[in-house]
Amino acid sequence: MFAPLDVRGAFQIRRATLLDLNPIYKLEKSIFRRDAYTRLELFIQLALLPRARNFELVNEARDIIGFCGAMDNILPGRPAWIITLGIAENYQGQGLGRYLLDFTERQLRSGKVRLTVRVSNYPAISLYESHDYIHRKRLRRYYPGGEDGLEMEKRLD
Ligand SMILES: CC(C)(COP(=O)(O)OP(=O)(O)OC[C@H]1O[C@@H](n2cnc3c(N)ncnc32)[C@H](O)[C@@H]1OP(=O)(O)O)[C@@H](O)C(=O)NCCC(=O)NCCS
């Protein structure tokens, strides 16, 4: 068992590793449904991506109830990316998404971070706006089904 990196009440943040691929895949599918990353994409995120910063949130029973996959850019001066952020449905609305996002941002070494979100995803956009992300650009028909994406950015330095 890995030591927690951060603790909030009964919840702990741990570094996510390839050993967690199956529960993270299950969690992602339950949260994102048709937008969920495939098992292969999550394998790459957990095992192969250079400068990946992957963190999981676990409850008292040590079940993984949140995941944030991010990466610092290998090119100097280029932004980091939040690749995925999700909290299990029955744990949403308790401040845990904000907690995991905040922790992940503090692990990044780049001067800015970007992410992409569906334009209709009001809860996530609201979280990012309240975390000082600005709207950078709209990505036409970016998501499956043809919905636009919104690219958002935050300065970290
Ligand atoms: C987006 C998500 C990560 C937020 O996590 P969460 O734990 O539910 O959010 P928190 O309780 O930490 O709330 C933080 C902020 O998010 C926003 N928010 C969260 N749920 C919201 C809702 N249902 N409606 C509006 N805003 C909401 C609010 O700004 C909130 O701040 P406040 O409590 O001060 O109002 C979570 O809802 C989730 O996993 N959603 C599905 C996956 C997803 O869309 N991920 C983002 C993809 S880019």
Side-chain angles (χ1 to χ4, degrees), residues 55-123:
F55 302 103
E56 61 196 21
L57 185 69
V58 299
N59 64 12
E60 214 161 20
R62 301 296 171 259
D63 301 318
I64 297 174
I65 54 99
F67 176 63
C68 187
M71 58 172 287
D72 271 312
N73 210 303
I74 53 171
L75 301 174
R78 299 295 300 153
W81 283 87
I82 304 280
I83 311 288
T84 180
L85 169 70
I87 300 293
E89 273 173 6
N90 47 345
Y91 286 89
Q92 290 176 6
Q94 302 179 36
L96 295 172
R98 187 186 295 286
Y99 169 56
L100 186 55
L101 176 64
D102 184 58
F103 179 87
T104 303
E105 285 172 359
R106 284 188 278 113
Q107 308 310 309
L108 297 171
R109 298 289 164 260
S110 309
K112 57 191 167 191
V113 59
R114 289 183 190 160
L115 54 81
T116 308
V117 57
R118 279 184 180 268
V119 290
S120 65
N121 191 344
Y122 175 69

